[in-house]
Amino acid sequence: MTYEALQKDLKAGKFKPVYLLEGEEDFFIDQISSFFEHRLLSDTEKEFNLNIFYGRDADWSEVLNACRRYPMFSDRQVVMVKEAQSMKTLDKLMGYLDNPLKSTILVVTYKHGKLDGKTKLKKAFEKCGPVLSTKRLYDNKIPDWIKEYAGGLGHDITPRACMLLTDHIGSDLSRQANEIDKLLLNLPAGKKIDEDDIELYVGISKEYNVFEFQKALGAKDMVKVIRIMNYFADNPKAAPLTMLVMILYGFFSKVYAIVHLPAKPDRELASLLKVHPFFVTDYVKAARIYRRQGAERALLILHEYNLRSIGVGDAGTPDAGLLKEMVMKMVH
């Protein structure tokens, strides 16, 4: 079952006796888990009808006893097994899964992996309730996710603002959601989030950031490149060299791919490169400027300075000096 479909069922009050929440993306697991822990039962009902166990310390017999009890002063009770990947006796729940109590909702969260689909335990979970298997989003999907998340809270967001959050925070959806939630506390209802809001409330400069630096370097706009480099030199935490090299390597890898592809529409290129369509024009422009030899040389230089940034073949040149030296080699 997908996250969206499961959310829709829960909002409609359609509940099953057992839920398995598993996979690589903690955010989706935590959101569904939070619904059962905080929103399904009233505060009074929780006192008698909410039992939470943690995998490492959970005793399977206590979990089973909790599941088989009937609710008090409520139509249902919730039993949660968190961090079930650490519960060595999880398979002892098999007997209960064969005949779960309808008045109990058992929620099992299994993070950083999945139960083996070939096991009897996994098949038992699939038989008696929804299984949510989560995956980490590709980087090119993060801007769309940010837009959708903000939209669900009643706010539109500009592509540029999405980009700033994506570049600064990356693919950690929990951190993204946390920053957006804090941001919206300062905005009037329905206001469209723009780069000024991101700069003011999140603290990401709309002019001096990794995305603008990458864009300027791709266009060989040296006035802007030098201005942003100087900002990075004065504010080392804004763009640590190791992070900057990694992001630029991803950028020039895509530029190198474009120079080897026949001309294609931007949307098709975005799909092939697994990037958001908003970014494609920058890659295409850089491909025209650097061409095959320049893109290849840029990648080799980035590899060299990645090693130097961690002390391989370098006697301790400051990061600001390495960055300036690297950029000059790349653009000439």
Side-chain angles (χ1 to χ4, degrees):
M1 175 174 268
T2 65
Y3 172 72
E4 292 76 16
L6 182 51
Q7 269 199 325
K8 185 177 179 180
D9 280 356
L10 297 182
K11 288 178 181 177
K14 298 177 181 178
F15 304 114
K16 298 292 184 180
V18 177
Y19 292 84
L20 172 62
L21 314 175
E22 63 175 8
E24 302 167 350
E25 182 47 71
D26 291 353
F27 175 80
F28 298 127
I29 294 173
D30 290 342
Q31 288 290 101
I32 300 299
S33 176
S34 178
F35 174 87
F36 287 111
E37 183 175 352
H38 300 293
R39 296 170 56 191
L40 184 58
L41 301 174
S42 69
D43 289 341
T44 303
E45 290 174 326
K46 287 177 191 175
E47 292 182 24
F48 302 98
N49 302 292
L50 176 62
N51 291 277
I52 300 175
F53 300 89
Y54 290 87
R56 189 180 298 277
D57 305 314
D59 182 292
W60 67 271
S61 60
E62 291 182 3
V63 175
L64 286 183
N65 287 336
C67 288
R68 287 172 174 155
R69 282 200 299 264
Y70 286 94
M72 295 178 64
F73 313 114
S74 177
D75 294 330
R76 62 175 68 92
Q77 67 161 347
V78 176
V79 177
M80 306 186 73
V81 181
K82 297 186 175 184
E83 302 170 10
Q85 70 276 6
S86 301
M87 185 176 177
K88 295 180 180 180
T89 55
L90 187 61
D91 59 338
K92 297 287 188 181
L93 302 182
M94 277 278 294
Y96 177 77
L97 297 178
D98 289 336
N99 187 27
L101 204 64
K102 291 184 179 179
S103 57
T104 294
I105 296 177
L106 171 62
V107 182
V108 176
T109 64
Y110 193 103
K111 292 185 174 181
H112 316 304
K114 298 179 183 180
L115 280 175
D116 187 341
K118 296 179 181 179
T119 62
K120 291 181 179 179
L121 180 60
K122 180 64 171 285
K123 291 176 181 177
F125 272 113
E126 292 172 340
K127 185 178 179 181
C128 62
V131 173
L132 173 66
S133 294
T134 68
K135 294 181 179 179
R136 288 199 181 278
L137 295 184
Y138 290 116
D139 289 347
N140 63 307
K141 300 294 183 184
I142 301 301
D144 285 338
W145 182 88
I146 292 171
K147 186 175 179 65
E148 184 177 336
Y149 183 81
L153 298 174
H155 293 260
D156 195 6
I157 182 169
T158 65
R160 186 178 170 84
C162 282
M163 256 179 349
L164 289 175
L165 287 171
T166 300
D167 277 339
H168 185 71
I169 299 172
S171 59
D172 187 330
L173 300 189
S174 296
R175 281 190 62 208
Q176 290 284 7
N178 187 50
E179 289 295 343
I180 294 169
D181 291 343
K182 289 191 296 184
L183 167 67
L184 295 185
L185 293 174
N186 297 286
L187 298 182
K191 185 196 180 295
K192 188 171 187 176
I193 304 168
D194 58 27
E195 54 269 33
D196 291 327
D197 299 320
I198 300 298
E199 182 171 38
L200 182 60
Y201 298 115
V202 183
I204 307 170
S205 172
K206 64 180 180 180
E207 186 175 357
Y208 301 104
N209 57 73
V210 174
F211 171 75
E212 290 298 326
F213 182 71
Q214 172 183 279
K215 185 177 179 180
L217 186 59
K220 290 193 177 181
D221 181 349
M222 292 311 297
V223 172
K224 191 170 184 179
V225 166
I226 292 169
R227 189 165 67 239
I228 298 175
M229 273 201 304
N230 289 336
Y231 175 84
F232 289 163
D234 294 336
N235 301 273
K237 291 183 179 180
L241 183 59
T242 51
M243 179 194 79
L244 190 56
V245 168
M246 179 183 69
I247 291 172
L248 290 176
Y249 195 90
F251 177 80
F252 280 100
S253 294
K254 292 176 177 64
V255 172
Y256 186 71
I258 288 175
V259 299
H260 288 84
L261 290 170
K264 293 179 181 295
D266 284 359
R267 285 206 165 270
E268 193 173 338
L269 278 176
S271 178
L272 287 170
L273 298 173
K274 290 185 168 55
V275 299
H276 193 273
F278 187 82
F279 296 89
V280 171
T281 53
D282 296 331
Y283 293 117
V284 172
K285 184 175 183 179
R288 286 199 301 264
I289 293 172
Y290 282 82
R291 301 180 181 276
R292 182 191 63 79
Q293 188 175 1
E296 188 175 276
R297 176 175 165 78
L299 290 171
L300 292 172
I301 292 169
L302 285 163
H303 177 65
E304 174 193 346
Y305 280 84
N306 180 52
L307 293 175
R308 289 183 63 182
S309 71
I310 58 175
V312 178
D314 189 87
T317 308
D319 283 359
L322 286 175
L323 177 60
K324 290 178 181 178
E325 190 179 308
M326 178 185 77
V327 166
M328 293 309 165
K329 286 184 179 181
M330 289 171 68
V331 297
H332 294 299

